[in-house]
Amino acid sequence: MQTAHRSIVVLTGAGISAESGLATFRDKDGLWEGHRVEDVACPEAFARDPARVQRFYNLRRAGLQTVEPNAAHLALARLQRDYPGEVTLLTQNVDDLHERAGSQGVIHMHGELLKVFCGRCGWKRGWQGDLTGSDPCPSCERTHTLRPDIVWFGEIPYRMDEIEDVLMRAEVFAAIGTSGHVYPAAGFVSLARFHGAATIEINAQGTQVSGQFDRHLVGPATVEVARWVEECLG
Ligand code: APR
């Protein structure tokens, strides 16, 4: 499919970072790095056992230092740089691999591992090292109020107004490395289609929402995303 210089919206999920060595959520035995997601990725878990949740995210934050962006991240950064139309990158991922590959203006709808915020005063900033309950909020100076800037189950994803706006204007919508299990991201394809976008799914295998896409590239993201970007850049 030749895309004449049109606005492209790309949604990525854990599958795009898999070949960099970061675990996906639903590819294995349903455990997420040894934890049930419900035990670490929800406000109730944080209220019940904040130290366990902080440890889990500290490990994931530290893990980012050991991985690199892969060819799929680099291909999307090239698309943003060289494509003559508008390219918006939405991600469900909380890693920083898109940014390290050179992507700009990435919309992290589920938050970012390298940010923390204060549940009491709302203060938010980049954070590289471990976070513990005894770290005082630099703004309100309270302890036990800082938490990872991750959108947990039951919380509202970030920047949904902006996301809906770009999806309604999209002429091409591509979903990469996401299983279509979790809403609202799983519903983006139908919103884009409704407004006339051509849709493509790039994934290692079929997903819950494959039937809603016009086109499918099935295989590893490092191969298929690079191929699709080559095609887009003509
Ligand atoms: N190349 C392409 N696709 C891949 C690869 C790969 N190398 N490896 C795995 N995949 C695909 C899997 O087949 C799967 O369909 O990536 C998808 C990953 O799906 P999930 O693990 O469900 O991750 P994701 O869709 O991002 O999860 C969405 O769920 O737990 C929440 O907040 C969390 O953001 C996450 C959301």
Side-chain angles (χ1 to χ4, degrees):
M1 168 184 65
Q2 279 303 325
T3 47
H5 305 156
R6 305 155 80 178
S7 69
I8 299 179
V9 175
V10 179
L11 167 71
T12 63
I16 199 169
S17 298
E19 290 163 271
S20 293
L22 292 181
T24 61
F25 295 88
R26 295 170 186 85
D27 271 342
K28 293 191 296 295
D29 48 12
L31 286 183
W32 184 23
E33 302 192 352
H35 295 266
R36 286 181 335 112
V37 173
E38 304 72 37
D39 293 343
V40 287
C42 62
E44 298 74 17
F46 190 59
R48 188 171 54 243
D49 188 350
R52 179 185 189 193
V53 174
Q54 297 285 24
R55 267 196 314 277
F56 176 71
Y57 286 99
N58 288 343
L59 278 174
R60 291 186 65 205
R61 195 176 300 111
L64 285 185
Q65 317 300 327
T66 65
V67 296
E68 296 294 329
N70 64 51
H73 298 105
L74 293 167
L76 290 181
R78 178 174 165 234
L79 183 68
Q80 273 190 315
R81 192 180 55 241
D82 298 347
Y83 189 70
E86 181 190 352
V87 178
T88 306
L89 183 48
L90 317 174
T91 188
Q92 301 169 89
N93 298 342
V94 295
D95 62 57
D96 62 339
L97 295 178
H98 282 306
E99 287 83 357
R100 285 165 56 193
S103 281
Q104 311 279 327
V106 182
I107 298 181
H108 283 271
M109 60 183 288
H110 289 169
E112 296 175 71
L113 265 178
L114 294 180
K115 282 189 183 155
V116 301
F117 74 85
C118 176
R120 181 181 173 78
C121 73
W123 175 90
K124 183 185 286 196
R125 193 200 70 184
W127 194 279
Q128 294 286 340
D130 285 354
L131 176 66
T132 67
S134 52
D135 290 307
C137 169
S139 173
C140 70
E141 298 175 350
R142 290 281 196 297
T143 56
H144 300 284
T145 59
L146 293 179
R147 58 165 272 190
D149 184 25
I150 302 289
V151 177
W152 284 330
F153 285 100
E155 296 181 328
I156 312 290
Y158 291 153
R159 301 174 63 181
M160 283 305 297
D161 292 346
E162 287 173 72
I163 290 173
E164 280 158 14
D165 176 55
V166 289
L167 287 171
M168 286 162 69
R169 290 188 290 109
E171 292 161 298
V172 177
F173 174 72
I176 301 171
T178 181
S179 62
H181 263 92
V182 173
Y183 285 80
F188 289 175
V189 56
S190 56
L191 180 59
R193 276 178 78 90
F194 182 76
H195 290 279
T199 56
I200 180 169
E201 181 180 66
I202 304 175
N203 205 63
Q205 60 191 15
T207 72
Q208 301 247 61
V209 290
S210 291
Q212 298 184 46
F213 288 84
D214 303 317
R215 212 176 146 217
H216 306 84
L217 295 180
V218 180
T222 50
V223 172
E224 298 305 331
V225 174
R227 193 151 76 96
W228 176 64
V229 167
E230 276 301 323
E231 181 188 294
C232 291
L233 296 178

